[in-house]
Amino acid sequence: MNSSVSSSRDTHLELDLTGFRKRAGVSLEQIVQSTKISSGFLKAIEDEKFEQLPGGIFSTSYLRQYALAIGYDEDALVAFYNQKMNPAEPISKGPQTETGSRGFIDRWLRTAAQTPR
């Protein structure tokens, strides 16, 4: 299967799914009829507004069905979705500070251990 990916200077990848679909000669209405996915979700996929999808297994299922309907590589589209929705964390993090309840418990235990009995 063929896929179309363009990249800009800032290394932000974009898919031209609308163009790919049109070159394949498939309309959104045809995809709605064959997949039963709402046109709003299909438009969100084409516009790469993945946060508008329902999430979880529904999103990946919609992406796979859409890709299949237009002849796009399903795995490539799901990988792109995962990359956009779950960007890699920076390799180098600054010093960790104690936050939340665990930090409070650690400070309390240190204080309790230092108090004379």
Side-chain angles (χ1 to χ4, degrees):
M1 297 197 177
N2 195 1
S3 61
S4 171
V5 177
S6 64
S7 66
S8 60
R9 288 184 183 177
D10 66 351
T11 68
H12 170 75
L13 294 177
E14 291 182 2
L15 303 178
D16 181 17
L17 295 172
T18 303
F20 193 91
R21 175 182 54 79
K22 288 178 180 177
R23 286 190 298 277
V26 181
S27 71
L28 277 179
E29 292 77 27
Q30 290 172 311
I31 300 173
V32 168
Q33 289 299 315
S34 66
T35 64
K36 306 300 183 211
I37 299 170
S38 78
S39 60
F41 288 143
L42 294 174
K43 191 71 180 140
I45 291 170
E46 287 191 344
D47 294 341
E48 297 178 29
K49 295 180 179 176
F50 300 129
E51 66 279 355
Q52 294 178 2
L53 296 177
I57 195 165
F58 290 104
S59 292
T60 54
S61 174
Y62 289 1
L63 291 166
R64 288 187 181 281
Q65 290 179 66
Y66 174 83
L68 184 64
I70 66 169
Y72 199 86
D73 184 346
E74 296 173 44
D75 293 330
L77 183 55
V78 171
F80 181 78
Y81 163 80
N82 286 331
Q83 181 183 10
K84 290 261 301 199
M85 295 304 289
N86 305 309
E89 294 208 14
I91 295 173
S92 172
K93 289 186 178 180
Q96 297 292 322
T97 59
E98 293 179 359
T99 59
S101 61
R102 182 63 197 180
F104 172 78
I105 292 171
D106 287 343
R107 287 191 307 273
W108 184 82
L109 289 172
R110 271 188 255 133
T111 304
Q114 294 171 354
T115 29
R117 294 181 181 212

